[in-house]
Amino acid sequence: IKKPLNIQAKALFNFIAENENELSFKENDILTILYQEMDEWWEAQLGDNIGLIPYNFVEILNPIPEDTVSIRVRANYDFVSDFPNELSFSMGDIMTVVKQDPSGWWKATKGDQVGLIPSTHVEMIDETEELWERDPFDFFEASDGAKKLLAESGSFGLDLDSYNRRLKTFTLMLSKTEELEMLRYQISSADVE
């Protein structure tokens, strides 16, 4: 038996139940969300009545306590919001997810805008991977780049071959860096003489 969530939510719109398992409510009513297991319908209570409500007709007032999430995502598709609590975005937009919900609708920020986004329209960005792809030299110049390669390689799903290729590249880059440093030293020493 699952324990009810007991999350408070404020109704953004009026809703009239069309089925006996749905719960009618008015704009500004305060409902208690009991379960959020379905994608678009949540089980809620208003007074003594319990029923299903459309998730996007309410705004959560006291979210489930959890660790703060901060995940950067990139939009794979355009999304136009239908409701005020949703966030519109275009393909390629970068957003920061601040809360992941099992319903698949995540709370995210884009600039100074905040709203719900469909998780099916975005992919997580691995900052380390992104920096590596853009410029491997920047990757190693970035803070703790080498440590990230070695310590986090498993977190972005590298198989052993990919890991070994990166390790060889890293070793080659280190040797080239040492050669450059030696060359710089020789040039600076020649200038002094």
Side-chain angles (χ1 to χ4, degrees):
I1 298 174
K2 285 194 90 163
K3 181 180 173 187
L5 296 173
N6 293 322
I7 301 170
Q8 299 299 303
K10 179 180 176 182
L12 299 172
F13 314 98
N14 293 336
F15 176 74
I16 299 171
E18 295 178 4
N19 297 308
E20 64 182 47
N21 64 340
E22 295 175 354
L23 177 65
S24 294
F25 54 85
K26 295 180 182 156
E27 183 178 356
N28 295 321
D29 279 349
I30 303 298
L31 301 115
T32 301
I33 307 301
L34 302 174
Y35 301 100
Q36 295 178 319
E37 292 182 6
M38 291 181 268
D39 286 344
E40 297 182 8
W41 293 86
W42 294 345
E43 187 173 336
Q45 181 173 357
L46 179 61
D48 292 332
N49 300 315
I50 295 176
L52 297 177
I53 63 166
Y55 79 95
N56 52 3
F57 275 52
V58 297
E59 174 182 42
I60 301 296
L61 298 176
N62 61 336
I64 302 168
E66 60 182 277
D67 294 336
T68 303
V69 176
S70 182
I71 302 168
R72 287 175 32 94
V73 295
R74 178 181 297 108
N76 291 329
Y77 312 98
D78 293 342
F79 175 74
V80 179
S81 64
D82 292 323
F83 301 96
N85 63 338
E86 296 175 347
L87 181 62
S88 294
F89 53 83
S90 300
M91 187 170 78
D93 282 355
I94 304 295
M95 296 164 282
T96 302
V97 173
V98 294
K99 181 178 179 192
Q100 293 176 298
D101 189 89
S103 70
W105 286 87
W106 296 348
K107 185 175 184 180
T109 61
K110 183 178 87 170
D112 60 350
Q113 300 174 316
V114 179
L116 297 176
I117 63 169
S119 62
T120 55
H121 284 53
V122 299
E123 67 180 350
M124 292 183 194
I125 298 172
D126 185 321
E127 305 270 344
T128 309
E129 181 78 12
E130 184 180 44
L131 184 56
W132 174 270
E133 297 295 331
R134 195 169 54 240
D135 187 344
F137 288 99
D138 284 349
F139 174 83
F140 289 103
E141 289 175 5
S143 64
D144 298 325
K147 289 179 188 172
K148 286 183 181 180
L149 172 69
L150 298 173
E152 295 181 5
S153 59
S155 71
F156 44 76
L158 289 180
D159 56 29
L160 188 56
D161 290 336
S162 298
Y163 177 82
N164 285 332
R165 278 196 307 276
R166 286 194 176 187
L167 188 56
K168 285 177 186 174
T169 303
F170 170 66
T171 306
L172 178 64
M173 289 175 72
L174 280 181
S175 67
K176 294 296 180 191
T177 303
E178 289 172 6
E179 288 175 25
L180 286 172
E181 288 302 316
M182 185 73 83
L183 187 57
R184 277 192 199 140
Y185 175 75
Q186 290 171 353
I187 292 171
S188 64
S189 296
D191 288 343
V192 173
E193 295 172 1

